Amino acid sequence: MNPESTPVASADGDVLRKLPFLDRFLPVWTLVAMAAGLLLGSAVPGLQTVLDAVRIGPVSLPIALGLLLMMYPVLAKVRYDRLGTVTRDRRTMVLSLVLNWVLGPALMFALAWLLLPDLPGYRTGLIIVGLARCIAMVIIWNDLACGDREAAAVLVALNSVFQVVMFGVLGWFYLDLLPSWLGLQGQDISFSPWEIARSVVIFLGIPLVAGYLSRRIGERVKGRQWYEGKFLPRIGPVALYGLLFTIVMLFALQGGTITSRPLDVARIALPLLAYFAIMWGGGYLLGKASGLSYPRTTTLAFTAAGNNFELAIAVAIGVFGVTSGQALAGVVGPLIEVPVLVGLVYVSLWLRTRWVEKAPPPA
């Protein structure tokens, strides 16, 4: 979906009817993709072995292709000549860093210990999820909610840099040092900074470079009017197709584990639901209180609420194994995140019709 072409709400505030057909019923397609993944995984018992035979970094090739297809069209839409206006917005940058790297991990740590005190494997998996800040799907949610695309690109890049530098450090802090300080039973864990860096380079770097080159070359050869009026509408739906394909593959690979432990899934889902609600709502409140515009506030909220489940799953499987409770907690993440954040996209569009900007100070 191209936010620049999204109709502005009429007086009655009916935004959702003005969305393209695919975007309007995205929750339905998401649930269908989840069900298709579960059926595919149960119907083809050897599918996981076949898919895992070819990998890009820690992620199987089909999921990697889905992520790349999901990322490229959105990054191709970014007006890279406007990025300077975002980096100069210190309020947005500071608020994003605080939400993502101070409040987010701390909140997930507290929820995991509070709601899963007797399930250390799931608890550890959720803490790993809290450390993996979103660098992929958040761009989709931000775009659908008509957030600031350039701000999202900058904040995602910022999260990527911090992820490479801080993931291992924060993992040691929240999984070992802090539980010891609080008298809780910690669990030793080790991370490879290179594995994290490689994932970031592949799943963010490649589509980012491709999107940048597409705009530069397309505008230089055909002009901006052709690029934004013809090229972008053609490739735009590919992002949502990539998202749905990724969901199918994720649930095909881990569907058996999910369906065999329904009560465990419910217990893992509870702290995740609380986490998404608090982080998204907190992002909106902070953005509004700080005087940010609707697009910037929306971007702030979604980048705070989203998580990089692909990285969390890869780390959990690499350290604890594919059948571990830590890996199951990571797999349950997108099961909860996708429908919840799709719903929050609709809430955001409703807020957009009622958003009142602060009046500028008098000259």
Side-chain angles (χ1 to χ4, degrees):
M1 186 183 76
N2 187 358
E4 280 91 338
S5 63
T6 302
V8 178
S10 59
D12 61 0
D14 192 5
V15 177
L16 301 184
R17 293 180 184 175
K18 297 176 182 290
L19 291 175
F21 178 79
L22 184 61
D23 298 337
R24 193 189 318 159
F25 294 100
L26 182 57
V28 177
W29 315 140
T30 301
L31 293 174
V32 170
M34 291 177 179
L38 292 173
L39 290 174
L40 181 63
S42 61
V44 185
L47 181 64
Q48 181 169 345
T49 302
V50 174
L51 294 178
D52 282 348
V54 183
R55 308 176 74 85
I56 294 181
V59 182
S60 65
L61 181 60
I63 295 179
L65 291 176
L67 290 171
L68 293 174
L69 288 174
M70 181 178 69
M71 294 284 285
Y72 165 70
V74 179
L75 291 171
K77 296 177 184 178
V78 173
R79 286 286 301 274
Y80 293 94
D81 55 336
R82 295 179 179 174
L83 294 184
T85 61
V86 181
T87 56
R88 290 193 295 268
D89 186 352
R90 294 186 177 181
R91 286 181 302 173
T92 303
M93 300 286 282
V94 170
L95 287 174
S96 179
L97 287 175
V98 170
L99 282 169
N100 277 285
W101 297 102
V102 178
L103 297 181
L107 176 63
M108 188 67 88
F109 175 86
L111 289 172
W113 275 98
L114 179 65
L115 299 176
L116 300 173
D118 57 328
L119 298 172
Y122 299 153
R123 185 177 64 235
T124 298
L126 285 180
I127 293 173
I128 292 174
V129 168
L131 298 177
R133 311 313 301 167
C134 196
I135 63 170
M137 289 186 180
V138 68
I139 297 180
I140 297 289
W141 313 136
N142 178 76
D143 219 36
L144 290 173
C146 299
D148 189 315
R149 188 179 297 143
E150 286 72 34
V154 171
L155 296 182
V156 163
L158 191 66
N159 276 345
S160 302
V161 173
F162 267 73
Q163 201 148 245
V164 173
V165 176
M166 297 301 297
F167 193 96
V169 175
L170 290 176
W172 165 74
F173 177 77
Y174 281 106
L175 295 173
D176 186 13
L177 187 61
L178 185 57
S180 298
W181 284 353
L182 299 177
L184 304 172
Q185 184 179 359
Q187 188 168 6
D188 294 333
I189 189 170
S190 59
F191 300 96
S192 170
W194 166 243
E195 291 295 330
I196 298 172
R198 183 170 59 179
S199 297
V200 172
V201 169
I202 292 172
F203 299 117
L204 179 65
I206 292 176
L208 181 62
V209 171
Y212 175 78
L213 291 177
S214 295
R215 179 170 282 277
R216 288 295 300 271
I217 295 173
E219 289 187 353
R220 181 174 297 178
V221 175
K222 292 284 191 175
R224 178 167 294 175
Q225 184 175 358
W226 173 88
Y227 184 83
E228 296 189 346
K230 294 187 176 181
F231 179 73
L232 290 183
R234 290 177 182 173
I235 67 169
V238 174
L240 292 179
Y241 298 150
L243 171 63
L244 297 176
F245 175 78
T246 301
I247 293 170
V248 171
M249 289 296 100
L250 279 172
F251 282 85
L253 288 173
Q254 300 291 343
T257 306
I258 294 174
T259 56
S260 64
R261 305 178 189 176
L263 294 179
D264 289 355
V265 170
R267 290 200 61 183
I268 296 170
L270 185 58
L272 284 169
L273 287 171
Y275 173 85
F276 293 137
I278 294 172
M279 292 299 293
W280 186 87
Y284 255 93
L285 290 175
L286 283 176
K288 184 67 173 177
S290 300
L292 298 181
S293 64
Y294 168 82
R296 290 281 169 91
T297 299
T298 298
T299 300
L300 185 69
F302 278 100
T303 52
N307 291 84
N308 184 1
F309 286 102
E310 296 76 27
L311 177 61
I313 292 169
V315 170
I317 291 175
V319 176
F320 300 102
V322 69
T323 60
S324 64
Q326 291 85 348
L328 176 60
V331 172
V332 172
L335 172 66
I336 306 302
E337 184 194 51
V338 171
V340 168
L341 291 191
V342 167
L344 291 176
V345 166
Y346 283 74
V347 176
S348 297
L349 293 173
W350 178 82
L351 289 173
R352 183 179 180 226
T353 66
R354 291 156 176 79
W355 193 271
V356 178
E357 302 286 355
K358 289 185 176 180

